[in-house]
Amino acid sequence: MQNRIKELRQKHNFTQDELADRLEVSRQTIISLEKERYNPSIVLAYNIAKLFDMKIEDIFIFEEGEQNG
Amino acid sequence: MQNRIKELRQKHNFTQDELADRLEVSRQTIISLEKERYNPSIVLAYNIAKLFDMKIEDIFIFEEGEQNG
DNA sequence: ATTTTATGTCAAGCTAACTTTACATGCTAC
DNA sequence: GTAGCATGTAAAGTTAGCTTGACATAAAAT
């Protein structure tokens, strides 16, 4: 799965630290998501989409036949 | 977080077993999700939404200030 | 009556999603 | 030149998401 977090964060002029604060997660989590080391939980994905006023599907790009977990 | 999985499964006349097969997860996972014991991963949520031809946000109902993880 | 089907519980185990802490690097200021 | 800021890596720990397997129960089919 790909995501547009870094792009959207920069468009909104947030630092990783600011974004982490707004989403109530650690800065490490932001780094890990931007580097696509793992996927966010559905709740975090929802909070990100809400913050940027977008749909989950417009921030996270799912590939065909992607495996769960 | 609430979800409409059981409702949608029944509307489509799927058994838990059939739904599990289509989503390539175990039947236990379907039971756990319907009983809201835990939230699906974002990939599974996406696959569920895709199967029912809906948006993630229309199947999973997020509450205000929901905590991540 | 007994087999099958659908739903459910329980428990143990694995990996993914997050946390915290500590340290490294490049950049821009004074 | 050193202080601060933004980004990054690494490592160790906890909890959530998912799996497998075994068993329970009620309803429907044969």
Side-chain angles (χ1 to χ4, degrees):
Chain A
M1 204 191 61
Q2 294 176 255
N3 74 66
R4 300 173 53 203
I5 298 179
K6 184 169 192 170
E7 171 203 339
L8 292 166
R9 174 176 65 78
Q10 290 175 335
K11 188 174 291 183
H12 288 255
N13 278 328
F14 293 156
T15 65
Q16 292 179 338
D17 225 19
E18 281 168 357
L19 182 56
D21 275 1
R22 285 175 190 256
L23 295 170
E24 296 181 72
V25 295
S26 68
R27 189 171 63 90
Q28 262 313 310
T29 296
I30 302 300
I31 292 175
S32 297
L33 294 178
E34 287 190 354
K35 296 266 161 199
E36 293 174 357
R37 291 201 221 281
Y38 51 70
N39 299 329
S41 71
I42 189 175
V43 173
L44 180 50
Y46 174 78
N47 287 333
I48 293 170
K50 191 170 144 205
L51 177 63
F52 291 134
D53 195 28
M54 296 173 71
K55 292 281 178 193
I56 290 176
E57 284 92 341
D58 295 323
I59 297 181
F60 300 93
I61 297 110
F62 300 87
E63 283 131 28
E64 216 45 43
E66 197 143 11
Q67 345 203 38
N68 317 309
Chain B
M1 203 191 63
Q2 294 175 256
N3 74 68
R4 301 173 53 203
I5 297 178
K6 184 169 193 168
E7 172 203 339
L8 292 166
R9 174 175 65 78
Q10 290 175 335
K11 189 174 291 182
H12 288 254
N13 279 327
F14 293 155
T15 66
Q16 292 178 338
D17 225 19
E18 280 168 359
L19 183 56
D21 275 0
R22 284 176 190 257
L23 296 170
E24 296 180 73
V25 295
S26 68
R27 190 171 62 90
Q28 260 313 309
T29 296
I30 301 300
I31 292 175
S32 297
L33 294 178
E34 287 190 356
K35 296 267 161 198
E36 293 175 356
R37 292 201 219 282
Y38 51 70
N39 299 329
S41 70
I42 189 175
V43 173
L44 180 50
Y46 173 79
N47 287 333
I48 293 170
K50 191 170 144 202
L51 177 63
F52 291 133
D53 195 28
M54 296 172 71
K55 293 279 179 195
I56 290 177
E57 284 92 342
D58 295 324
I59 297 181
F60 301 94
I61 298 111
F62 300 87
E63 283 131 28
E64 216 45 43
E66 196 142 12
Q67 341 204 36
N68 316 310

